[in-house]
């Protein structure tokens, strides 16, 4: 099932680790702090546990949304110029 | 229908305007760059048009996901300490 992961992590190192975990599970970066891709139920649970261990009691919030095909067809995207960040 | 709005906006002023638009439509901030709340089809389209005008050709990306109740029940949240930002 298509899965959206969004996170709000202040610390750069931790945020990068969260991003790496999402990539390891085959998700694609769709925004600076959002990844999306197909995960079956087991893989989604595995990723959830991994993210839970990474975050621990540190500052942050992570949300995982499975999105069915019907909802995905209703998704809208508004694109300006691609965001550029220094560094 | 429950609606998730996620955005990736580099400019502070523009990002705040996007956030204000989401608030005007009754959405709640769930992360630094994510809002969620109930919108019917018309209100969702209105908000999309407003965000489209705000972003224009400036740097950024906004995605709007309607999420059905079934998907919402599968949502997972991982909470650490609430993110604190300076300023």
């Amino acid at each position: 099932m298509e899965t959206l992961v969004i996170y709000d992590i202040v610390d750069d190192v931790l945020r990068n680790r969260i991003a790496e975990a999402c990539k390891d599970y085959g998700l694609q970066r769709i925004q600076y702090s959002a990844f999306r891709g197909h995960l079956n139920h087991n893989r989604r649970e595995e990723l959830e546990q991994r993210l839970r261990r990474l975050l621990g009691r540190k500052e942050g919030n992570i949300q995982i949304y499975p999105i069915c095909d019907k909802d995905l067809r209703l998704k809208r995207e508004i694109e300006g110029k691609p965001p550029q960040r220094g560094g």
Side-chain angles (χ1 to χ4, degrees), chain A:
Chain A
M1 195 169 178
E2 194 72 10
T3 301
L4 176 66
V5 178
I6 61 175
Y7 49 90
D8 186 0
I9 306 283
V10 180
D11 181 73
D12 290 341
V13 173
L14 178 59
R15 194 173 54 246
N16 286 339
R17 284 187 183 146
I18 301 289
E20 286 304 317
C22 291
K23 285 182 205 166
D24 286 348
Y25 278 75
L27 304 186
Q28 307 290 317
R29 181 167 242 152
I30 57 162
Q31 287 185 353
Y32 185 57
S33 291
F35 276 79
R36 217 184 82 190
H38 190 87
L39 291 176
N40 66 27
H41 178 78
N42 284 350
R43 293 280 286 170
R44 197 164 66 240
E45 291 219 326
E46 271 180 42
L47 175 59
E48 180 190 341
Q49 291 314 315
R50 179 155 162 198
L51 296 179
R52 204 173 281 283
R53 281 194 302 271
L54 279 170
L55 183 57
R57 296 182 176 214
K58 297 184 273 293
E59 271 178 54
N61 176 276
I62 304 168
Q63 298 188 25
I64 303 170
Y65 291 89
I67 303 176
C68 66
D69 290 344
K70 193 171 167 220
D71 288 353
L72 212 52
R73 283 194 292 275
L74 294 171
K75 173 229 170 191
R76 292 290 176 271
E77 184 160 2
I78 305 169
E79 290 189 83
K81 278 197 298 185
Q84 301 292 327
R85 287 185 179 79

